[in-house]
Amino acid sequence: MKLCAPLPGHLDATKKILKEEASNLHEVFMAGSSDYIPTGRQALGESFSETIEETTRLVHEDNLRMDVVMNASCMGGRHLTDEGLHRYMSYLEILARAGVDAVTLADPYLIEVASRNFSFDVIVSCISFVDSPEKAIFYEELGADGITVDTSINRDFHVLEAIRDAVSCDIRVLVNEGCLYKCPFRYFDFNVVSHTSGPPPVPKISFNYYQRKCRSLRVKKPWLLMKANWVRPEDLKAYEEIGIDTFKISGRNQPVNWVIETIKTYKSRDFSGNLIDLLDYSRSMKHLFYIPNKKLDGAIDRWKSCDRNCHRCGFCKDLTAQIMKVYLERGTDREMLVSLTELNEGVPDEYPE
Amino acid sequence: MNTLNNLLDHRGSIEKRLMKLTGRVIWVVQLNLSSFSCGCTGITIFFAGLEKEDVEVFASRIVEILNEVTASVRLDPDIIYASLVPGSSEVGSISLKRLCDECRKDYGGDVRPWSNISILYKKAC
Protein backbone atom coordinates (compact mmCIF):
# COMPACT_ATOMS: atom_id res chain seq x y z
CA MET A 1 0.00 0.00 0.00
CA LYS A 2 1.25 3.49 -0.93
CA LEU A 3 -0.45 6.16 1.17
CA CYS A 4 -0.50 9.82 0.13
CA ALA A 5 -1.47 12.32 2.81
CA PRO A 6 -2.27 16.03 2.93
CA LEU A 7 -0.16 18.75 4.53
CA PRO A 8 -2.16 21.73 5.80
CA GLY A 9 0.60 24.03 4.51
CA HIS A 10 2.39 25.47 7.53
CA LEU A 11 5.77 24.11 8.51
CA ASP A 12 4.82 23.25 12.10
CA ALA A 13 2.11 20.96 10.77
CA THR A 14 4.49 19.38 8.26
CA LYS A 15 7.06 18.65 10.97
CA LYS A 16 4.45 17.09 13.27
CA ILE A 17 2.94 14.91 10.54
CA LEU A 18 6.36 13.77 9.34
CA LYS A 19 7.57 13.09 12.87
CA GLU A 20 4.59 10.89 13.67
CA GLU A 21 3.66 9.35 10.35
CA ALA A 22 6.58 9.46 7.87
CA SER A 23 7.12 5.72 8.14
CA ASN A 24 3.49 5.12 7.11
CA LEU A 25 3.58 7.32 4.03
CA HIS A 26 4.68 7.20 0.41
CA GLU A 27 3.93 10.80 -0.55
CA VAL A 28 2.59 14.04 0.91
CA PHE A 29 0.84 16.85 -0.91
CA MET A 30 0.08 20.51 -0.31
CA ALA A 31 -1.54 23.35 -2.23
CA GLY A 32 0.56 25.55 -4.47
CA SER A 33 0.56 29.31 -4.18
CA SER A 34 -2.81 30.81 -5.01
CA ASP A 35 -0.99 33.86 -6.37
CA TYR A 36 -0.20 31.77 -9.41
CA ILE A 37 -2.66 28.93 -9.91
CA PRO A 38 -5.85 28.32 -7.96
CA THR A 39 -6.64 24.93 -6.46
CA GLY A 40 -9.71 22.73 -6.15
CA ARG A 41 -10.12 23.29 -2.40
CA GLN A 42 -10.40 26.56 -0.58
CA ALA A 43 -6.89 27.55 0.48
CA LEU A 44 -6.50 28.40 4.16
CA GLY A 45 -3.15 30.09 3.94
CA GLU A 46 -0.42 31.09 1.58
CA SER A 47 1.96 28.44 0.29
CA PHE A 48 4.89 30.71 -0.44
CA SER A 49 7.67 29.40 -2.63
CA GLU A 50 10.03 29.40 0.37
CA THR A 51 7.55 27.28 2.33
CA ILE A 52 7.29 24.75 -0.48
CA GLU A 53 11.08 24.63 -0.81
CA GLU A 54 11.56 24.06 2.93
CA THR A 55 8.69 21.56 3.07
CA THR A 56 10.20 19.62 0.18
CA ARG A 57 13.56 19.52 1.96
CA LEU A 58 11.92 18.16 5.13
CA VAL A 59 9.87 15.63 3.18
CA HIS A 60 12.95 14.38 1.34
CA GLU A 61 14.82 13.96 4.62
CA ASP A 62 12.22 11.32 5.42
CA ASN A 63 12.59 9.76 1.96
CA LEU A 64 9.03 10.66 0.98
CA ARG A 65 7.76 12.18 -2.23
CA MET A 66 6.45 15.73 -2.38
CA ASP A 67 3.45 16.63 -4.56
CA VAL A 68 2.16 20.18 -5.09
CA VAL A 69 -1.54 20.39 -5.97
CA MET A 70 -2.76 23.05 -8.39
CA ASN A 71 -5.94 21.45 -9.58
CA ALA A 72 -8.33 24.27 -10.38
CA SER A 73 -11.10 23.27 -12.76
CA CYS A 74 -11.29 26.79 -14.18
CA MET A 75 -8.70 29.48 -14.69
CA GLY A 76 -10.90 31.83 -16.63
CA GLY A 77 -8.80 31.28 -19.74
CA ARG A 78 -5.76 32.99 -18.21
CA HIS A 79 -3.57 29.96 -18.88
CA LEU A 80 -4.29 30.37 -22.60
CA THR A 81 -2.94 33.91 -22.73
CA ASP A 82 0.74 34.66 -23.32
CA GLU A 83 1.01 36.47 -20.00
CA GLY A 84 -0.84 33.72 -18.13
CA LEU A 85 1.17 30.89 -19.62
CA HIS A 86 4.40 32.72 -18.82
CA ARG A 87 3.23 33.11 -15.22
CA TYR A 88 2.31 29.42 -14.86
CA MET A 89 5.56 28.29 -16.50
CA SER A 90 7.50 30.52 -14.11
CA TYR A 91 5.77 28.92 -11.17
CA LEU A 92 6.36 25.40 -12.44
CA GLU A 93 10.05 26.36 -12.75
CA ILE A 94 10.03 27.51 -9.12
CA LEU A 95 8.56 24.14 -8.11
CA ALA A 96 11.12 22.27 -10.19
CA ARG A 97 13.94 24.23 -8.51
CA ALA A 98 12.39 23.45 -5.11
CA GLY A 99 12.80 19.78 -6.00
CA VAL A 100 9.17 18.67 -5.83
CA ASP A 101 8.60 15.14 -7.09
CA ALA A 102 5.15 15.65 -8.54
CA VAL A 103 2.61 18.28 -9.48
CA THR A 104 -1.10 17.49 -9.54
CA LEU A 105 -3.04 19.36 -12.21
CA ALA A 106 -6.57 19.20 -13.60
CA ASP A 107 -6.42 21.16 -16.85
CA PRO A 108 -5.37 19.09 -19.90
CA TYR A 109 -3.33 21.93 -21.39
CA LEU A 110 -1.30 22.48 -18.23
CA ILE A 111 -0.86 18.73 -17.88
CA GLU A 112 0.65 18.58 -21.36
CA VAL A 113 2.81 21.68 -20.82
CA ALA A 114 4.11 20.38 -17.48
CA SER A 115 4.81 16.87 -18.71
CA ARG A 116 6.68 18.09 -21.83
CA ASN A 117 8.81 20.69 -20.07
CA PHE A 118 9.58 19.39 -16.59
CA SER A 119 11.06 16.25 -15.12
CA PHE A 120 8.78 16.01 -12.09
CA ASP A 121 5.86 13.60 -12.30
CA VAL A 122 2.56 14.98 -13.48
CA ILE A 123 -0.48 13.59 -11.70
CA VAL A 124 -3.97 14.00 -13.09
CA SER A 125 -6.34 15.35 -10.44
CA CYS A 126 -9.66 13.74 -9.56
CA ILE A 127 -11.05 17.07 -10.80
CA SER A 128 -10.19 15.93 -14.34
CA PHE A 129 -12.99 13.39 -13.82
CA VAL A 130 -11.27 10.34 -15.29
CA ASP A 131 -14.09 7.82 -15.23
CA SER A 132 -13.34 5.58 -18.22
CA PRO A 133 -10.43 3.75 -19.85
CA GLU A 134 -10.68 6.18 -22.79
CA LYS A 135 -10.05 9.22 -20.64
CA ALA A 136 -7.25 7.45 -18.81
CA ILE A 137 -5.54 6.62 -22.10
CA PHE A 138 -5.98 10.23 -23.22
CA TYR A 139 -4.20 11.58 -20.16
CA GLU A 140 -1.46 8.97 -20.25
CA GLU A 141 -0.77 9.88 -23.88
CA LEU A 142 -0.71 13.53 -22.80
CA GLY A 143 2.17 12.63 -20.52
CA ALA A 144 0.57 11.85 -17.16
CA ASP A 145 2.61 9.73 -14.77
CA GLY A 146 -0.34 9.12 -12.48
CA ILE A 147 -4.12 9.48 -12.50
CA THR A 148 -6.37 10.08 -9.53
CA VAL A 149 -9.64 8.67 -10.79
CA ASP A 150 -12.99 10.43 -10.56
CA THR A 151 -14.30 9.63 -7.09
CA SER A 152 -17.70 8.72 -8.55
CA ILE A 153 -16.17 5.44 -9.78
CA ASN A 154 -14.57 4.60 -6.43
CA ARG A 155 -16.92 1.64 -6.01
CA ASP A 156 -17.27 0.76 -9.69
CA PHE A 157 -14.79 -2.09 -9.83
CA HIS A 158 -15.69 -2.97 -13.41
CA VAL A 159 -14.51 0.47 -14.61
CA LEU A 160 -11.57 0.59 -12.19
CA GLU A 161 -10.30 -2.75 -13.50
CA ALA A 162 -10.72 -1.57 -17.08
CA ILE A 163 -8.76 1.62 -16.38
CA ARG A 164 -6.03 -0.35 -14.61
CA ASP A 165 -5.86 -2.61 -17.65
CA ALA A 166 -5.84 0.26 -20.17
CA VAL A 167 -2.90 2.29 -18.86
CA SER A 168 0.43 1.60 -17.23
CA CYS A 169 0.75 4.80 -15.17
CA ASP A 170 0.05 4.97 -11.44
CA ILE A 171 -3.67 4.82 -10.58
CA ARG A 172 -4.77 6.53 -7.39
CA VAL A 173 -8.00 6.37 -5.43
CA LEU A 174 -9.03 9.27 -3.19
CA VAL A 175 -10.44 7.31 -0.28
CA ASN A 176 -12.17 9.75 2.05
CA GLU A 177 -13.34 12.81 0.18
CA GLY A 178 -16.93 11.94 1.14
CA CYS A 179 -18.62 13.79 -1.73
CA LEU A 180 -22.01 12.74 -3.12
CA TYR A 181 -22.12 9.90 -5.63
CA LYS A 182 -22.41 11.49 -9.10
CA CYS A 183 -22.62 14.87 -7.38
CA PRO A 184 -24.67 17.26 -9.53
CA PHE A 185 -22.87 20.27 -8.02
CA ARG A 186 -19.35 19.01 -8.50
CA TYR A 187 -18.29 20.86 -11.66
CA PHE A 188 -19.98 24.08 -10.59
CA ASP A 189 -18.63 24.10 -7.04
CA PHE A 190 -15.08 23.37 -8.19
CA ASN A 191 -15.39 26.23 -10.67
CA VAL A 192 -16.48 28.58 -7.87
CA VAL A 193 -13.66 27.44 -5.58
CA SER A 194 -11.19 27.78 -8.46
CA HIS A 195 -12.01 31.47 -8.62
CA THR A 196 -12.33 32.13 -4.89
CA SER A 197 -9.03 30.35 -4.12
CA GLY A 198 -6.95 31.89 -6.87
CA PRO A 199 -5.36 35.12 -8.02
CA PRO A 200 -7.46 38.27 -8.49
CA PRO A 201 -10.11 39.08 -9.51
CA VAL A 202 -11.71 37.06 -6.69
CA PRO A 203 -15.53 37.17 -6.68
CA LYS A 204 -17.06 38.09 -3.34
CA ILE A 205 -19.75 35.43 -3.24
CA SER A 206 -22.62 35.95 -0.77
CA PHE A 207 -23.22 32.26 -0.18
CA ASN A 208 -22.14 28.95 -1.64
CA TYR A 209 -25.37 27.43 -2.94
CA TYR A 210 -23.73 24.14 -3.88
CA GLN A 211 -22.25 23.40 -0.47
CA ARG A 212 -25.42 24.45 1.35
CA LYS A 213 -27.62 22.35 -0.92
CA CYS A 214 -25.27 19.38 -0.58
CA ARG A 215 -25.50 19.61 3.22
CA SER A 216 -29.27 19.91 3.32
CA LEU A 217 -29.69 17.05 0.85
CA ARG A 218 -27.70 14.78 3.18
CA VAL A 219 -29.81 15.86 6.14
CA LYS A 220 -33.03 15.15 4.25
CA LYS A 221 -31.77 11.95 2.62
CA PRO A 222 -29.22 10.43 5.01
CA TRP A 223 -28.69 7.44 2.70
CA LEU A 224 -26.78 9.80 0.40
CA LEU A 225 -24.01 9.63 3.00
CA MET A 226 -23.97 5.85 2.60
CA LYS A 227 -23.82 6.09 -1.19
CA ALA A 228 -21.04 8.70 -1.10
CA ASN A 229 -17.65 7.89 -2.60
CA TRP A 230 -15.72 6.86 0.51
CA VAL A 231 -13.62 3.74 0.88
CA ARG A 232 -13.35 2.06 4.30
CA PRO A 233 -9.85 1.34 5.61
CA GLU A 234 -10.82 -2.34 5.85
CA ASP A 235 -11.73 -2.44 2.15
CA LEU A 236 -8.43 -1.23 0.66
CA LYS A 237 -7.47 -4.83 -0.08
CA ALA A 238 -10.29 -5.08 -2.64
CA TYR A 239 -8.50 -2.38 -4.65
CA GLU A 240 -5.10 -4.00 -4.24
CA GLU A 241 -6.60 -7.20 -5.66
CA ILE A 242 -7.27 -5.36 -8.95
CA GLY A 243 -3.81 -3.77 -9.05
CA ILE A 244 -4.55 -0.40 -7.46
CA ASP A 245 -2.39 0.22 -4.41
CA THR A 246 -1.94 4.01 -4.23
CA PHE A 247 -4.43 5.61 -1.89
CA LYS A 248 -4.78 9.32 -1.36
CA ILE A 249 -6.20 10.76 1.86
CA SER A 250 -8.19 13.96 1.35
CA GLY A 251 -8.11 16.71 4.00
CA ARG A 252 -5.68 19.57 3.48
CA ASN A 253 -8.11 21.92 5.24
CA GLN A 254 -8.53 19.65 8.26
CA PRO A 255 -6.71 19.99 11.61
CA VAL A 256 -3.29 18.41 11.98
CA ASN A 257 -4.35 15.88 14.63
CA TRP A 258 -7.14 14.63 12.40
CA VAL A 259 -4.70 14.17 9.50
CA ILE A 260 -2.41 12.10 11.74
CA GLU A 261 -5.25 9.96 13.10
CA THR A 262 -6.65 9.37 9.62
CA ILE A 263 -3.25 8.25 8.30
CA LYS A 264 -2.94 5.82 11.23
CA THR A 265 -6.45 4.51 10.58
CA TYR A 266 -5.94 3.82 6.88
CA LYS A 267 -2.52 2.32 7.56
CA SER A 268 -3.99 -0.02 10.16
CA ARG A 269 -6.95 -0.88 7.89
CA ASP A 270 -9.11 -0.97 10.96
CA PHE A 271 -11.58 1.54 12.43
CA SER A 272 -14.20 1.11 15.12
CA GLY A 273 -15.74 4.58 15.28
CA ASN A 274 -18.13 6.79 13.36
CA LEU A 275 -17.23 6.46 9.68
CA ILE A 276 -18.16 10.11 9.12
CA ASP A 277 -15.18 11.12 11.27
CA LEU A 278 -12.87 9.84 8.52
CA LEU A 279 -14.48 11.93 5.79
CA ASP A 280 -12.97 15.19 4.63
CA TYR A 281 -15.88 17.06 3.13
CA SER A 282 -18.79 16.02 5.36
CA ARG A 283 -16.92 15.54 8.63
CA SER A 284 -18.97 18.12 10.56
CA MET A 285 -22.01 15.87 10.05
CA LYS A 286 -20.53 13.48 12.60
CA HIS A 287 -22.29 15.71 15.13
CA LEU A 288 -25.64 14.77 13.63
CA PHE A 289 -25.26 11.21 12.28
CA TYR A 290 -23.44 8.10 13.46
CA ILE A 291 -22.41 5.39 11.01
CA PRO A 292 -20.83 2.49 12.92
CA ASN A 293 -17.99 1.54 10.60
CA LYS A 294 -17.75 -2.05 11.77
CA LYS A 295 -21.35 -2.68 10.79
CA LEU A 296 -20.34 -2.03 7.18
CA ASP A 297 -18.23 -5.20 7.04
CA GLY A 298 -19.11 -7.06 3.85
CA ALA A 299 -20.98 -4.18 2.16
CA ILE A 300 -18.08 -3.85 -0.29
CA ASP A 301 -19.02 -7.23 -1.79
CA ARG A 302 -22.38 -5.82 -2.80
CA TRP A 303 -20.89 -2.55 -4.04
CA LYS A 304 -18.34 -4.44 -6.16
CA SER A 305 -21.15 -6.00 -8.16
CA CYS A 306 -23.49 -2.99 -8.02
CA ASP A 307 -25.00 -1.88 -11.36
CA ARG A 308 -25.46 1.76 -10.16
CA ASN A 309 -29.21 1.78 -10.68
CA CYS A 310 -30.07 3.05 -7.22
CA HIS A 311 -33.74 3.62 -8.07
CA ARG A 312 -34.16 -0.13 -8.66
CA CYS A 313 -31.96 -1.38 -5.82
CA GLY A 314 -32.32 0.26 -2.42
CA PHE A 315 -29.40 -1.58 -0.80
CA CYS A 316 -27.72 1.59 0.52
CA LYS A 317 -31.04 3.05 1.64
CA ASP A 318 -31.94 -0.13 3.52
CA LEU A 319 -28.47 -0.35 5.05
CA THR A 320 -28.82 3.26 6.21
CA ALA A 321 -32.14 2.49 7.89
CA GLN A 322 -30.58 -0.53 9.59
CA ILE A 323 -27.39 0.97 10.99
CA MET A 324 -27.29 4.77 10.83
CA LYS A 325 -28.20 6.67 13.97
CA VAL A 326 -29.07 10.28 14.70
CA TYR A 327 -27.81 12.29 17.66
CA LEU A 328 -30.42 14.02 19.76
CA GLU A 329 -29.35 16.87 22.05
CA ARG A 330 -25.70 16.36 21.15
CA GLY A 331 -23.25 17.86 23.64
CA THR A 332 -25.71 17.99 26.54
CA ASP A 333 -26.33 15.70 29.52
CA ARG A 334 -29.32 14.28 27.65
CA GLU A 335 -27.37 13.29 24.50
CA MET A 336 -28.70 10.11 22.93
CA LEU A 337 -28.48 8.17 19.67
CA VAL A 338 -31.63 6.97 17.97
CA SER A 339 -32.02 4.98 14.79
CA LEU A 340 -33.65 6.55 11.77
CA THR A 341 -36.48 4.04 12.17
CA GLU A 342 -37.06 5.17 15.76
CA LEU A 343 -37.00 8.76 14.60
CA ASN A 344 -39.62 8.06 11.97
CA GLU A 345 -41.82 6.53 14.64
CA GLY A 346 -41.57 9.70 16.74
CA VAL A 347 -38.85 11.45 18.69
CA PRO A 348 -38.47 9.65 22.03
CA ASP A 349 -38.34 11.34 25.44
CA GLU A 350 -40.97 13.84 24.47
CA TYR A 351 -41.02 17.23 26.05
CA PRO A 352 -43.88 18.07 28.37
CA GLU A 353 -46.17 20.50 26.65
CA MET B 1 -22.07 32.14 32.27
CA ASN B 2 -25.40 30.39 32.74
CA THR B 3 -26.52 31.74 29.40
CA LEU B 4 -23.48 30.27 27.67
CA ASN B 5 -23.92 26.94 29.40
CA ASN B 6 -27.53 26.87 28.31
CA LEU B 7 -26.77 27.51 24.66
CA LEU B 8 -25.90 23.86 24.01
CA ASP B 9 -29.15 22.82 25.66
CA HIS B 10 -31.10 25.28 23.54
CA ARG B 11 -29.43 24.16 20.32
CA GLY B 12 -30.15 20.50 21.08
CA SER B 13 -33.67 21.22 22.28
CA ILE B 14 -34.65 23.20 19.17
CA GLU B 15 -33.18 20.53 16.89
CA LYS B 16 -34.98 17.71 18.69
CA ARG B 17 -38.32 19.48 18.82
CA LEU B 18 -38.18 20.44 15.16
CA MET B 19 -37.46 16.80 14.30
CA LYS B 20 -40.52 15.88 16.32
CA LEU B 21 -42.60 18.57 14.64
CA THR B 22 -41.60 17.73 11.06
CA GLY B 23 -41.07 13.98 11.49
CA ARG B 24 -37.65 14.02 9.85
CA VAL B 25 -34.04 14.97 10.51
CA ILE B 26 -33.36 18.69 10.95
CA TRP B 27 -29.90 19.95 11.80
CA VAL B 28 -29.29 23.05 13.90
CA VAL B 29 -25.76 23.67 12.72
CA GLN B 30 -25.17 26.71 14.95
CA LEU B 31 -27.03 28.85 17.46
CA ASN B 32 -25.43 32.24 17.97
CA LEU B 33 -26.06 35.14 20.28
CA SER B 34 -25.75 38.09 17.90
CA SER B 35 -25.15 41.79 17.94
CA PHE B 36 -25.12 43.96 14.85
CA SER B 37 -23.42 47.24 14.02
CA CYS B 38 -26.80 48.87 13.34
CA GLY B 39 -27.85 48.31 16.96
CA CYS B 40 -29.99 45.15 16.66
CA THR B 41 -29.38 42.29 19.06
CA GLY B 42 -30.70 38.76 19.13
CA ILE B 43 -30.21 35.11 18.36
CA THR B 44 -29.42 33.61 14.97
CA ILE B 45 -29.98 29.91 14.37
CA PHE B 46 -28.47 28.25 11.29
CA PHE B 47 -30.20 25.20 9.84
CA ALA B 48 -29.82 22.40 7.35
CA GLY B 49 -32.82 20.39 6.21
CA LEU B 50 -35.49 22.96 7.10
CA GLU B 51 -37.80 24.14 4.30
CA LYS B 52 -39.89 27.25 3.74
CA GLU B 53 -43.00 25.06 3.85
CA ASP B 54 -42.06 23.84 7.35
CA VAL B 55 -41.80 27.33 8.77
CA GLU B 56 -45.03 28.41 7.11
CA VAL B 57 -47.07 25.39 8.24
CA PHE B 58 -45.61 25.22 11.75
CA ALA B 59 -45.03 28.96 12.31
CA SER B 60 -46.91 29.21 15.60
CA ARG B 61 -45.35 26.04 17.05
CA ILE B 62 -41.86 27.12 15.98
CA VAL B 63 -42.40 30.53 17.61
CA GLU B 64 -43.50 28.76 20.80
CA ILE B 65 -40.36 26.63 20.81
CA LEU B 66 -38.10 29.60 20.11
CA ASN B 67 -39.74 31.77 22.74
CA GLU B 68 -38.62 29.36 25.44
CA VAL B 69 -35.05 30.07 24.38
CA THR B 70 -35.55 33.81 24.26
CA ALA B 71 -37.06 33.76 27.74
CA SER B 72 -34.00 32.04 29.10
CA VAL B 73 -31.65 34.69 27.67
CA ARG B 74 -34.10 37.49 28.56
CA LEU B 75 -34.57 38.51 24.95
CA ASP B 76 -37.98 39.91 24.12
CA PRO B 77 -37.81 39.78 20.32
CA ASP B 78 -39.55 42.35 18.16
CA ILE B 79 -39.46 39.98 15.23
CA ILE B 80 -38.76 36.35 14.37
CA TYR B 81 -38.08 35.59 10.73
CA ALA B 82 -36.66 32.85 8.55
CA SER B 83 -34.12 33.73 5.87
CA LEU B 84 -34.25 31.57 2.77
CA VAL B 85 -31.20 30.76 0.71
CA PRO B 86 -31.82 33.27 -2.11
CA GLY B 87 -33.87 31.80 -4.93
CA SER B 88 -34.49 28.52 -3.12
CA SER B 89 -36.98 27.02 -0.65
CA GLU B 90 -34.28 26.18 1.88
CA VAL B 91 -34.24 27.96 5.24
CA GLY B 92 -30.70 29.09 5.91
CA SER B 93 -31.38 30.65 9.30
CA ILE B 94 -34.01 31.91 11.70
CA SER B 95 -33.35 35.21 13.46
CA LEU B 96 -34.92 36.47 16.66
CA LYS B 97 -34.20 40.17 16.95
CA ARG B 98 -34.68 43.13 19.17
CA LEU B 99 -34.66 45.79 16.49
CA CYS B 100 -32.79 49.06 16.36
CA ASP B 101 -34.73 52.17 15.29
CA GLU B 102 -33.56 51.98 11.70
CA CYS B 103 -34.42 48.30 11.23
CA ARG B 104 -37.71 48.80 13.05
CA LYS B 105 -38.71 51.01 10.10
CA ASP B 106 -37.57 48.39 7.57
CA TYR B 107 -39.49 45.57 9.22
CA GLY B 108 -42.39 47.70 10.43
CA GLY B 109 -44.42 48.01 7.23
CA ASP B 110 -47.04 45.69 5.77
CA VAL B 111 -44.66 44.33 3.15
CA ARG B 112 -41.75 42.00 3.78
CA PRO B 113 -38.59 44.10 3.43
CA TRP B 114 -36.80 41.41 1.44
CA SER B 115 -38.18 38.67 -0.79
CA ASN B 116 -36.17 35.88 0.81
CA ILE B 117 -37.52 36.25 4.34
CA SER B 118 -40.58 34.69 5.90
CA ILE B 119 -41.85 36.45 9.02
CA LEU B 120 -43.02 34.08 11.76
CA TYR B 121 -43.77 36.67 14.44
CA LYS B 122 -43.83 40.42 14.70
CA LYS B 123 -44.58 42.33 17.89
CA ALA B 124 -47.51 44.69 17.56
CA CYS B 125 -46.24 48.26 17.53
Side-chain angles (χ1 to χ4, degrees):
Chain A
M1 168 167 57
K2 291 181 278 185
L3 265 186
C4 308
L7 297 177
H10 52 299
L11 282 171
D12 291 345
T14 299
K15 287 173 186 169
K16 189 168 166 70
I17 289 168
L18 292 176
K19 184 179 173 194
E20 297 206 20
E21 295 303 319
S23 62
N24 285 331
L25 294 171
H26 165 71
E27 186 178 281
V28 290
F29 62 93
M30 66 184 285
S33 171
S34 58
D35 283 344
Y36 290 88
I37 303 180
T39 79
R41 317 277 171 185
Q42 198 64 52
L44 296 182
E46 281 300 332
S47 302
F48 297 111
S49 303
E50 300 77 24
T51 311
I52 289 178
E53 196 174 325
E54 177 63 4
T55 304
T56 304
R57 190 185 66 74
L58 291 168
V59 167
H60 285 169
E61 275 180 10
D62 281 309
N63 297 316
L64 300 181
R65 284 165 50 87
M66 172 72 174
D67 174 19
V68 174
V69 182
M70 299 183 300
N71 55 346
S73 59
C74 181
M75 280 160 287
R78 275 191 294 256
H79 58 311
L80 302 176
T81 66
D82 291 342
E83 185 191 350
L85 182 59
H86 176 72
R87 192 172 175 80
Y88 296 146
M89 287 292 280
S90 302
Y91 190 58
L92 293 172
E93 279 165 18
I94 289 171
L95 297 179
R97 280 200 300 276
V100 306
D101 302 283
V103 172
T104 294
L105 297 161
D107 182 89
Y109 177 54
L110 290 182
I111 288 169
E112 182 166 0
V113 165
S115 65
R116 284 184 189 278
N117 292 283
F118 296 94
S119 59
F120 48 63
D121 286 352
V122 175
I123 311 295
V124 177
S125 165
C126 70
I127 300 173
S128 301
F129 307 107
V130 175
D131 59 358
S132 65
E134 285 76 14
K135 266 194 202 172
I137 290 167
F138 167 79
Y139 279 107
E140 188 172 56
E141 287 178 352
L142 217 51
D145 301 286
I147 296 171
T148 312
V149 294
D150 182 355
T151 53
S152 277
I153 62 164
N154 272 5
R155 296 181 192 171
D156 194 334
F157 281 70
H158 181 67
V159 173
L160 286 172
E161 269 190 285
I163 290 175
R164 178 62 291 170
D165 184 49
V167 293
S168 57
C169 65
D170 188 33
I171 298 295
R172 298 165 171 221
V173 170
L174 189 58
V175 291
N176 67 325
E177 183 193 48
C179 285
L180 295 174
Y181 173 64
K182 298 287 182 190
C183 174
F185 311 120
R186 199 165 173 80
Y187 304 106
F188 307 98
D189 190 37
F190 277 131
N191 285 347
V192 168
V193 174
S194 295
H195 287 284
T196 55
S197 73
V202 176
K204 302 223 178 314
I205 60 170
S206 306
F207 61 96
N208 187 319
Y209 168 82
Y210 313 114
Q211 291 180 15
R212 269 181 185 263
K213 193 74 178 176
C214 168
R215 189 170 64 181
S216 64
L217 273 175
R218 289 161 193 256
V219 172
K220 288 181 207 160
K221 301 178 177 182
W223 56 90
L224 294 178
L225 273 162
M226 196 66 76
K227 286 164 56 175
N229 305 316
W230 41 260
V231 176
R232 297 168 68 228
E234 291 85 347
D235 296 338
L236 297 180
K237 62 179 183 300
Y239 296 81
E240 290 166 327
E241 284 166 7
I242 60 167
I244 295 173
D245 66 351
T246 307
F247 303 110
K248 186 170 177 178
I249 294 170
S250 175
R252 51 188 151 114
N253 290 349
Q254 297 290 349
V256 178
N257 287 338
W258 177 89
V259 173
I260 289 170
E261 285 307 311
T262 307
I263 295 168
K264 284 187 203 303
T265 300
Y266 275 94
K267 186 67 184 178
S268 70
R269 301 167 187 256
D270 183 40
F271 182 59
S272 299
N274 182 358
L275 179 118
I276 300 171
D277 201 19
L278 297 181
L279 305 184
D280 178 13
Y281 181 63
S282 30
R283 184 167 162 248
S284 63
M285 298 198 97
K286 71 175 185 172
H287 302 302
L288 180 67
F289 293 120
Y290 187 92
I291 302 178
N293 181 56
K294 283 298 175 195
K295 292 204 170 173
L296 292 164
D297 283 349
I300 185 83
D301 295 327
R302 176 62 177 260
W303 290 327
K304 279 167 76 175
S305 59
C306 176
D307 67 1
R308 318 289 137 200
N309 286 309
C310 301
H311 64 293
R312 291 191 205 134
C313 171
F315 172 75
C316 294
K317 202 170 175 179
D318 292 345
L319 187 61
T320 304
Q322 285 166 25
I323 71 167
M324 191 187 282
K325 297 198 168 182
V326 182
Y327 279 107
L328 294 181
E329 302 190 84
R330 178 95 159 110
T332 72
D333 296 340
R334 295 182 301 282
E335 178 178 311
M336 63 186 333
L337 273 169
V338 298
S339 69
L340 285 169
T341 314
E342 286 173 303
L343 193 70
N344 290 338
E345 288 166 358
V347 174
D349 184 24
E350 300 206 343
Y351 282 79
E353 295 298 324
Chain B
M1 191 60 193
N2 275 341
T3 299
L4 287 180
N5 283 342
N6 290 341
L7 285 182
L8 273 175
D9 289 332
H10 294 319
R11 191 212 66 83
S13 161
I14 292 168
E15 186 178 82
K16 182 175 170 179
R17 297 178 76 174
L18 288 179
M19 285 193 207
K20 180 185 166 193
L21 200 60
T22 60
R24 59 171 208 278
V25 181
I26 303 288
W27 189 14
V28 174
V29 183
Q30 274 182 43
L31 184 152
N32 297 345
L33 286 178
S34 315
S35 69
F36 301 86
S37 54
C38 60
C40 289
T41 53
I43 293 171
T44 312
I45 308 163
F46 296 92
F47 291 94
L50 191 64
E51 289 285 320
K52 181 184 179 193
E53 192 182 16
D54 298 323
V55 296
E56 286 176 350
V57 171
F58 299 116
S60 61
R61 288 290 294 117
I62 291 174
V63 169
E64 250 179 75
I65 292 167
L66 297 178
N67 273 338
E68 288 177 26
V69 179
T70 58
S72 126
V73 297
R74 297 196 188 101
L75 170 74
D76 181 18
D78 295 315
I79 191 163
I80 301 176
Y81 64 88
S83 301
L84 306 179
V85 175
S88 81
S89 64
E90 188 184 335
V91 175
S93 63
I94 293 182
S95 302
L96 304 90
K97 277 188 180 171
R98 193 159 60 198
L99 296 168
C100 68
D101 291 343
E102 189 179 335
C103 293
R104 194 180 300 278
K105 286 182 208 158
D106 290 340
Y107 288 97
D110 296 335
V111 179
R112 285 176 297 153
W114 292 280
S115 58
N116 72 318
I117 69 166
S118 176
I119 296 176
L120 309 186
Y121 163 82
K122 192 156 68 170
K123 192 187 276 185
C125 297

